[in-house]
Amino acid sequence: MSKLSHGSTNSASPVTHFKVRVLLVDDQLIIVEAIRRMLDGHPDIEFHYVSSAAAAVETAVNMKPTVILQDLVMPDIDGFALIQAYRAQASLASVPVIVLSAKDDAKLKAHSFAVGANDYVVKVPDQIELLARVRYHSSGHISRLQRDEAFRFLRESQQRLADANIELQKLAALDGLTGIANRRRFDEVLPVEWQRAQRERKPLSLLMCDIDCFKHHNDSFGHQAGDMCLKKTAAILTEHLKRPADLAVRYGGEEFAIVLPDTDAAGAVQVAEACRAHLEALAIDNTGSGFGDVVTMSIGVATVVPGPESSVRELMERADKALYAAKSEGRNRVCV
Ligand code: GH3
Ligand code: MG
Ligand code: MG
Ligand code: MG
């Protein structure tokens, strides 16, 4: 029996060419050969046969024919009983059955239809007529397969689109250079954390970090060195976060921000100081900057327990002010 060969099952295209899978059930090999010659060589048709009635049902269940050509007179089981046996199988209940009978007999025809046949052809039929009947009875099945295929393709396309959207949303929240969250993410998260802190009457801390004399580093060591320094700084900030809700973002240029929910001033200063010391310890060359020979950063820390009158802007302003103080007091320090 040849291999199942409906169209491609990959999801690239809904265009598939389903073949008509004909199963001939006949004990006479001369008939099998005659029918085979009529059906073979048509690209839309796949010919299969079984000559033993005893094996017919099992063969049919396994090969899932589009249409069955059924001989009536067979040695062990007659064609009528076989048609009834097909109809008792869920997978064969609606497969079209064309009776192939030696006799052009009205009673046999009537009985064939009574036990569930869909058509009756006197053998040996004319090739054109047989092809027409086989294709006619298969058309519903093929169009169902095509419809299923089209639906499957549609479902998969929708799933791919949804996945791509999720990926896009993730990408839209990330900074392209450093891979950490970006300003957009910060703008989403900070108000949410602010409201949570207000509701739960818990402290919320914000760190604004700015690399010192970064323009000098860029000018003296090149833009690529500057980019590398930004990546290292981003990695340090992320490394020093302890809780899942903590968020480090590249706020813009050489400025970073850290949001620390449920963290008091002492805890926030501790994180800030650890980040500052870590960057300094990397000892990235910044000779000639006028403020030390290695890259450092200044960090402003603000902590609030949001009251009913306070606003998220207030927290930002306080962190900015603290950063400004850290710069004016000599850089490479943490100010509150
Ligand atoms: P200060 O200590 O006062 O913060 O001085 P500064 O030189 O760090 O600050 P300034 O704002 O004058 O310079 C920031 C520099 O950061 C200038 C800009 O070229 C550089 N910069 C901003 N974004 C990027 C980037 O994506 N890559 C690189 N390599 N440099 C950047
Ligand atoms: Mg026979
Ligand atoms: Mg700056
Ligand atoms: Mg700077």
Side-chain angles (χ1 to χ4, degrees), residues 209-211 252-255 323 327:
C209 318
D210 186 297
I211 300 179
E254 26 72 273
E255 291 171 25
L323 174 59
K327 290 284 185 189

Side-chain angles (χ1 to χ4, degrees), residues 29 81-82 86 91 104 108 113 127-129 131 140 148 153 157 161 168 177 179 210 227 236 245 274 280 290 297 302:
L29 288 180
L82 271 183
Y86 302 145
S91 66
D104 188 359
L108 288 179
F113 290 119
Q127 182 188 24
I128 292 171
E129 181 185 340
L131 279 169
D148 290 351
F153 180 78
S157 302
L161 196 64
L168 272 178
L177 177 68
D210 186 297
D227 282 357
I236 288 172
E280 185 178 22
M297 67 179 153

Side-chain angles (χ1 to χ4, degrees), residues 103-320:
K103 292 182 184 148
D104 188 359
D105 180 289
K107 281 187 183 155
L108 288 179
K109 287 179 188 172
H111 194 59
S112 296
F113 290 119
V115 296
N118 301 73
D119 204 351
Y120 187 104
V121 172
V122 178
K123 56 186 176 186
V124 178
D126 179 271
Q127 182 188 24
I128 292 171
E129 181 185 340
L130 182 67
L131 279 169
R133 288 186 189 274
V134 162
R135 287 183 177 131
Y136 167 74
H137 287 291
S138 307
S139 61
H141 180 73
I142 297 294
S143 56
R144 271 194 301 282
L145 290 176
Q146 283 168 338
R147 185 203 55 197
D148 290 351
E149 182 81 344
F151 276 138
R152 190 181 63 77
F153 180 78
L154 195 66
R155 268 198 311 277
E156 288 179 2
S157 302
Q158 283 169 340
Q159 188 57 50
R160 275 197 302 279
L161 196 64
D163 291 347
N165 272 330
I166 289 170
E167 278 310 305
L168 272 178
Q169 271 172 11
K170 281 185 196 160
L171 283 177
L174 295 183
D175 172 55
L177 177 68
T178 63
I180 68 169
N182 60 17
R183 169 82 180 267
R184 180 200 296 257
R185 182 89 186 111
F186 176 82
D187 289 342
E188 278 171 8
V189 167
L190 191 62
V192 172
E193 289 302 343
W194 172 269
Q195 280 167 10
R196 194 199 310 279
Q198 197 172 42
R199 237 182 6 252
E200 297 175 0
R201 303 193 174 284
K202 285 186 171 156
L204 174 66
S205 289
L206 175 63
L207 279 55
M208 293 302 291
C209 318
D210 186 297
I211 300 179
D212 299 322
C213 309
F214 191 60
K215 188 169 174 348
H216 176 82
H217 181 72
N218 253 330
D219 293 348
S220 308
F221 302 93
H223 207 78
Q224 278 191 323
D227 282 357
M228 187 53 69
C229 183
L230 291 171
K231 288 185 195 179
K232 286 179 177 167
T233 305
I236 288 172
L237 301 187
T238 316
E239 205 176 301
H240 286 277
L241 302 183
K242 293 183 194 78
R243 303 177 188 164
D246 295 347
L247 177 73
V249 305
R250 184 175 177 205
Y251 192 75
E254 26 72 273
E255 291 171 25
F256 296 85
I258 296 182
V259 182
L260 298 172
D262 195 10
T263 304
D264 62 15
V269 167
Q270 214 170 32
V271 173
E273 181 52 28
C275 292
R276 186 209 60 76
H278 193 152
L279 180 60
E280 185 178 22
L282 287 190
I284 301 168
D285 198 358
N286 207 15
T287 311
S289 74
F291 281 97
D293 289 338
V294 297
V295 171
T296 56
M297 67 179 153
S298 300
I299 303 179
V301 177
T303 303
V304 289
V305 179
E309 300 300 309
S310 55
S311 77
V312 76
R313 186 185 300 168
E314 199 181 299
L315 179 66
M316 299 268 307
E317 284 169 1
R318 282 179 48 191
D320 274 340

